[in-house]
């Protein structure tokens, strides 16, 4: 990732009760089109390439940006209505570099099904495109129940999709590796609770799976829980560590960098701050 701001060297793994200075953002996206960054992903095909999208209210598009916070591409899914895009993910599956766009939000808990869109990651030499080739995974929860959900992670080793609900106790659902457009029933894996860490500290607002397949991060407004992926796959929902995340206007996104060594975090608002924090374990 190159040199990081010196302030990031002060960052250590801590509980929410400890007080340390928040590190400065590594970059800021000032483009007016990005005002509610709700999803974040790190390219699997090229270093220093990242993606984000807005929350509800925007069209079905996502943005590519670089380490300077400059927008280098805008891509839209043809014929898609964005109801409540809340998270995105990048994963290399079967030799393909995919992006997953999660239309999974449901504040009123009324949706009979949610949708996840999957497309091939756009070539780095394209700066805009109307994407016509993509898959649509319509997902239903067990018993026809609706859940508010803002967190999506994709297991790069299996292709399974994981959803983490936004509630006092986070419920985890899995969809076994969908291979083509269709309707799928999610299975409940279990639940966990992140200790309260300030307002909204227990509410899951974003998730990501590390590119090497070893770790899963789930963030809230104030904290980040990291899981050993091998345990999550078998339903052992005990986190490995808890870190405090930088205070921001409304932090809703997290992603691992392509080198597996950093967590990226973004926040709603414009300019949009993005933190790139070295991961400290043990």
């Amino acid at each position: 990732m190159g040199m990081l701001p010196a302030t990031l060297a002060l960052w250590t793994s801590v509980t929410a009760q400890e007080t340390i200075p928040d590190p400065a953002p590594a970059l800021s996206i000032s483009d007016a089109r990005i005002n509610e960054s709700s999803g974040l992903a790190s390219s699997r095909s090229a270093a220093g390439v990242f993606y984000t999208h807005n929350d509800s209210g925007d069209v079905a598009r996502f943005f590519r940006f670089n380490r300077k916070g400059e927008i280098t591409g805008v891509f839209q899914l043809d014929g898609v209505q964005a109801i409540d895009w809340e998270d995105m993910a990048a994963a290399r599956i079967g030799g393909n570099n995919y992006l997953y766009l999660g239309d999974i939000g449901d504040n009123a808990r009324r949706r009979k099904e949610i949708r996840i869109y999957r497309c091939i990651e756009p070539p780095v030499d394209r700066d805009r495109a109307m994407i016509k080739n993509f898959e649509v995974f319509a997902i239903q929860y067990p018993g026809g129940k609706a859940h508010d959900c803002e967190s999506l992670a994709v297991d790069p080793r299996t292709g399974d999709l994981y959803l983490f609900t936004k509630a006092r106790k986070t419920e985890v659902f899995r969809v076994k590796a969908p291979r083509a457009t269709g309707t799928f029933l999610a299975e409940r894996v279990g639940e966990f609770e992140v200790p309260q860490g300030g307002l909204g500290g227990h509410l899951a607002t974003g998730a990501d799976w590390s590119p090497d397949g070893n770790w899963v991060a789930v963030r809230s407004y104030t904290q980040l829980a990291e899981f050993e992926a091998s345990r999550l796959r078998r339903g052992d929902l005990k986190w490995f560590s808890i870190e405090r995340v930088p205070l921001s206007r409304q932090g809703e996104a997290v992603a691992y960098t392509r080198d597996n060594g950093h967590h990226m975090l973004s926040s709603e608002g414009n300019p949009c701050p993005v933190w790139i924090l070295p991961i400290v374990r043990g």
Side-chain angles (χ1 to χ4, degrees):
M1 296 301 299
M3 296 298 293
L4 295 172
T7 51
L8 296 190
L10 300 175
W11 186 267
T12 55
S13 179
V14 296
T15 64
Q17 287 70 38
E18 294 176 323
T19 301
I20 61 173
D22 280 340
L27 59 95
S28 182
I29 306 171
S30 59
D31 192 294
R33 291 171 293 183
I34 299 176
N35 56 13
E36 289 188 287
S37 175
S38 187
L40 193 63
S42 180
S43 170
R44 296 299 183 262
S45 63
V49 175
F50 314 107
Y51 298 93
T52 190
H53 63 77
N54 285 315
D55 206 329
S56 57
D58 200 356
V59 295
R61 63 180 176 176
F62 59 94
F63 304 85
R64 186 178 63 211
F65 65 96
N66 61 22
R67 291 191 182 110
K68 297 180 180 180
E70 300 167 335
I71 300 302
T72 61
V74 183
F75 309 95
Q76 186 169 341
L77 301 187
D78 188 36
V80 171
Q81 177 187 6
I83 297 174
D84 193 358
W85 282 24
E86 287 291 354
D87 205 1
M88 70 182 302
R92 184 171 177 80
I93 307 292
N96 293 317
N97 294 320
Y98 288 112
L99 293 179
Y100 297 75
L101 292 308
D103 194 340
I104 57 178
D106 189 8
N107 292 328
R109 296 176 175 84
R110 293 176 180 173
R111 297 177 69 175
K112 294 183 179 180
E113 67 178 29
I114 56 176
R115 293 192 170 193
I116 295 174
Y117 300 93
R118 182 172 77 172
C119 65
I120 297 291
E121 188 177 330
V124 293
D125 60 352
R126 296 285 299 276
D127 62 2
R128 64 181 58 250
M130 183 67 72
I131 299 176
K132 298 181 180 295
N133 296 319
F134 54 87
E135 294 152 309
V136 185
F137 307 139
I139 298 169
Q140 300 171 353
Y141 292 107
K145 188 176 180 181
H147 296 273
D148 190 17
C149 181
E150 297 187 1
S151 306
L152 166 68
V154 179
D155 186 342
R157 296 186 182 176
T158 66
D160 293 351
L161 314 180
Y162 283 75
L163 298 162
F164 303 83
T165 66
K166 187 179 182 182
R168 184 70 179 93
K169 289 187 176 181
T170 302
E171 292 186 80
V172 183
F173 294 89
R174 176 173 54 208
V175 178
K176 293 291 184 68
R179 303 187 185 280
T181 292
T183 300
F184 304 86
L185 180 64
E187 60 175 323
R188 188 179 186 275
V189 175
E191 66 180 32
F192 67 91
E193 186 173 354
V194 178
Q196 178 72 21
L199 183 63
H202 58 281
L203 299 174
T205 61
D208 197 31
W209 209 295
S210 64
D212 61 11
N214 293 331
W215 303 94
V216 179
V218 180
R219 70 159 298 170
S220 70
Y221 291 118
T222 63
Q223 297 188 103
L224 184 149
E226 190 170 56
F227 296 84
E228 294 179 81
S230 58
R231 291 187 174 185
L232 184 63
R233 291 186 183 103
R234 64 177 182 261
D236 181 5
L237 303 181
K238 296 182 178 65
W239 55 78
F240 175 82
S241 64
I242 297 288
E243 297 179 11
R244 183 174 69 88
V245 301
L247 294 178
S248 56
R249 177 177 176 180
Q250 188 166 346
E252 293 200 5
V254 62
Y256 286 88
T257 52
R258 188 167 175 262
D259 64 2
N260 298 286
H262 299 76
H263 288 133
M264 296 183 65
L265 304 161
S266 69
S267 174
E268 291 191 358
N270 184 269
C272 170
V274 179
W275 292 264
I276 304 177
L277 308 176
I279 297 172
V280 179
R281 300 189 180 104

